[in-house]
Amino acid sequence: MKEALRQARKAGEEGEIPVGAVVVSNGRIISKAYNQCERLNDPTAHAEIQAITSACYELQSKFLEDCDLYVTLEPCPMCAGALYWARIRTLYYGSDDTQRGYSLHNKSLLHPKTKIFKGLFREESEALLKDFFNNLRTN
Amino acid sequence: MKEALRQARKAGEEGEIPVGAVVVSNGRIISKAYNQCERLNDPTAHAEIQAITSACYELQSKFLEDCDLYVTLEPCPMCAGALYWARIRTLYYGSDDTQRGYSLHNKSLLHPKTKIFKGLFREESEALLKDFFNNLRTN
């Protein structure tokens, strides 16, 4: 999760909403990514989507059944849907997303076998987002 | 929608589940794509995601508020979530997806401003999928 936070900070430094994600397989980080929607002009370029795509490329598999995803913010429905298709083993996330989090919808957006742990480094994850939006408002 | 069907046929010819999508802006097709999950080993490589990413690149905008998406199969939650972020103006789709369609979930997976028209070339869209899965079973 510390690497996910580092990725989120990178996003913030580039003017992106600070969200970072990593995929871990057998205790090793196999992909890391941060939100790049602005730079790429791509609404699908969330940290999770990029981390999933990279991890699948690394493993040459479209399933991540033995992998865990760490992300600083609760995934949106799009990303939860991607995690469903990837059959991710465990989802760890930091901050809740009370506006666009997948958990506001039907919980079955995730795969039934996926385990979920929330609140990991919640304060650090939230602080990054709060600082980012505070800066936006004052600048 | 005819071009989306052509894209879907391409997918089927390559051993992919036959789904195709196009994005139209000002009466012009600005992107077309077909499902490539197998070839790319990427569970996010649905026709819609690729069509959205290409259309955004073409327009250099992360919003597709003046664009319409035509897709042969009802989008899944991941793709509906992507269409939400892209703020697509109109979604036209062919076949219903009674197993993984977004409409099995909360309708608000799509953007509230998105208009929805379903059943366009439904028979042709369904036939492609049925033939594909029949062939899988007999081979």
Side-chain angles (χ1 to χ4, degrees):
Chain A
M1 196 60 157
K2 284 187 182 170
E3 182 56 40
L5 279 163
R6 262 191 290 273
Q7 294 294 314
R9 268 181 226 112
K10 273 196 201 179
E13 285 161 15
E14 296 184 12
E16 304 275 356
I17 296 175
V19 182
V22 306
V23 173
V24 171
S25 168
N26 289 322
R28 192 172 65 87
I29 291 175
I30 59 166
S31 72
K32 44 190 176 181
Y34 55 92
N35 175 34
Q36 291 195 86
C37 290
E38 300 298 329
R39 179 200 265 190
L40 301 177
N41 271 324
D42 184 353
T44 76
H46 285 193
E48 300 96 311
I49 299 283
Q50 295 180 80
I52 292 167
T53 296
S54 298
C56 289
Y57 183 78
E58 173 73 16
L59 299 179
Q60 286 294 298
S61 163
K62 64 177 184 146
F63 298 121
L64 301 173
E65 289 161 308
D66 297 320
C67 298
D68 308 315
L69 182 117
Y70 295 77
V71 58
T72 55
L73 178 65
E74 179 185 347
C76 73
M78 172 181 73
C79 293
L83 291 167
Y84 170 92
W85 290 118
R87 300 183 189 170
I88 198 86
R89 182 173 60 184
T90 318
L91 162 65
Y92 297 91
Y93 68 86
S95 178
D96 290 318
D97 186 344
T98 56
Q99 293 200 304
R100 284 297 304 160
Y102 78 90
S103 67
L104 299 171
H105 294 262
N106 192 324
K107 197 190 157 201
S108 70
L109 282 172
L110 287 172
H111 195 279
K113 284 193 179 168
T114 298
K115 291 188 237 53
I116 305 152
F117 295 95
K118 58 186 237 178
L120 218 69
F121 288 81
R122 182 197 305 264
E123 283 177 25
E124 292 85 343
S125 301
E126 278 180 1
L128 278 174
L129 289 158
K130 274 186 191 158
D131 289 352
F132 178 80
F133 286 109
N134 281 339
N135 278 339
L136 268 193
R137 279 183 207 105
T138 51
N139 290 335
Chain B
M1 195 61 157
K2 284 188 181 168
E3 182 57 39
L5 280 163
R6 262 192 290 273
Q7 294 294 314
R9 268 180 226 114
K10 273 196 200 180
E13 285 161 14
E14 297 185 12
E16 306 274 356
I17 296 174
V19 182
V22 305
V23 174
V24 171
S25 169
N26 288 325
R28 191 171 66 89
I29 290 176
I30 59 166
S31 71
K32 44 190 176 183
Y34 56 91
N35 176 35
Q36 291 196 85
C37 290
E38 301 298 328
R39 179 200 265 192
L40 300 177
N41 271 323
D42 185 352
T44 75
H46 285 193
E48 300 95 312
I49 299 281
Q50 295 180 79
I52 292 168
T53 295
S54 300
C56 288
Y57 183 79
E58 173 73 16
L59 299 179
Q60 286 294 297
S61 163
K62 64 177 184 144
F63 299 120
L64 300 173
E65 290 160 309
D66 297 320
C67 297
D68 308 316
L69 182 119
Y70 295 77
V71 57
T72 56
L73 178 65
E74 179 185 349
C76 73
M78 172 179 74
C79 293
L83 291 167
Y84 170 90
W85 290 119
R87 301 184 188 168
I88 198 86
R89 182 174 61 185
T90 319
L91 162 65
Y92 297 91
Y93 68 87
S95 177
D96 288 318
D97 185 344
T98 56
Q99 294 200 305
R100 285 297 303 160
Y102 78 90
S103 66
L104 299 171
H105 295 262
N106 191 323
K107 197 191 157 199
S108 69
L109 282 172
L110 287 173
H111 196 280
K113 284 193 180 168
T114 297
K115 292 188 236 54
I116 304 151
F117 295 94
K118 56 186 238 178
L120 218 69
F121 288 83
R122 182 196 305 264
E123 282 176 25
E124 293 84 343
S125 302
E126 276 180 4
L128 277 174
L129 288 158
K130 274 187 191 156
D131 289 351
F132 179 81
F133 287 110
N134 281 340
N135 278 340
L136 267 193
R137 280 184 207 104
T138 52
N139 288 337

